[in-house]
Amino acid sequence: AAPPGPPVYVDLAYLPGSWSARTVDEEFFRRIRSLCYVVSGDDHLKEGVLRSLLDALLAGKHQWGTDIQVTLIPTFDSLVMHEWYQETHDRQQELGITVLGSNSTVAMQDETFPACKVEF
């Protein structure tokens, strides 16, 4: 358990991938309060814990007691993400959570990849 203390406020937080994604729980989102959370790491390990990570965001954000808007930025396409988005859309709106979807691509040096622009 983490020692008691005030939450930490940041503009952008990258959520851990691979095995470390298992450490992201409701307490993480109560303590690390970010305007934007980036969910990266399109790998089979994260896919296995993605739903619990996303549900932890909802539960943790509910504890904030403020009207801070939060943006969730997935960097990969996922069936789990789509299902969670559909099933919890009303809850996301109540809590002020926006999920960015992007169909944009960027081409650089003979490579094309999905991208989105985030401005502060």
Side-chain angles (χ1 to χ4, degrees), residues 50-71:
L50 185 57
R51 180 62 192 237
S52 61
L53 184 147
L54 296 170
D55 288 339
L57 169 62
L58 294 176
K61 175 74 167 73
H62 176 75
Q63 302 297 318
W64 291 14
T66 63
D67 291 335
I68 297 173
Q69 290 294 119
V70 168
T71 302

Side-chain angles (χ1 to χ4, degrees), residues 55-90:
D55 288 339
L57 169 62
L58 294 176
K61 175 74 167 73
H62 176 75
Q63 302 297 318
W64 291 14
T66 63
D67 291 335
I68 297 173
Q69 290 294 119
V70 168
T71 302
L72 182 66
I73 307 168
T75 64
F76 59 97
D77 197 27
S78 162
L79 179 60
V80 172
M81 177 70 75
H82 286 279
E83 289 173 352
W84 176 82
Y85 180 83
Q86 295 286 331
E87 294 170 10
T88 65
H89 189 259
D90 291 340

Side-chain angles (χ1 to χ4, degrees), residues 2-117:
V8 176
Y9 293 88
V10 296
D11 290 329
L12 181 70
Y14 283 85
L15 300 177
S18 297
W19 291 106
S20 298
R22 297 174 192 271
T23 65
V24 179
D25 58 6
E26 181 180 341
E27 181 66 17
F28 174 90
F29 290 107
R30 275 191 273 183
R31 301 286 300 273
I32 308 298
R33 299 181 182 188
S34 181
L35 296 176
C36 296
Y37 292 101
V38 176
V39 183
S40 62
D42 185 10
D43 61 48
H44 69 282
L45 297 174
K46 182 168 255 178
E47 191 75 13
V49 298
L50 185 57
R51 180 62 192 237
S52 61
L53 184 147
L54 296 170
D55 288 339
L57 169 62
L58 294 176
K61 175 74 167 73
H62 176 75
Q63 302 297 318
W64 291 14
T66 63
D67 291 335
I68 297 173
Q69 290 294 119
V70 168
T71 302
L72 182 66
I73 307 168
T75 64
F76 59 97
D77 197 27
S78 162
L79 179 60
V80 172
M81 177 70 75
H82 286 279
E83 289 173 352
W84 176 82
Y85 180 83
Q86 295 286 331
E87 294 170 10
T88 65
H89 189 259
D90 291 340
R91 186 76 174 130
Q92 294 166 40
Q93 288 183 320
E94 289 172 19
L95 294 172
I97 298 172
T98 301
V99 179
L100 284 187
S102 176
N103 292 330
S104 300
T105 56
V106 173
M108 291 178 66
Q109 300 175 352
D110 301 329
E111 278 189 81
T112 303
F113 48 90
C116 68
K117 180 179 179 181

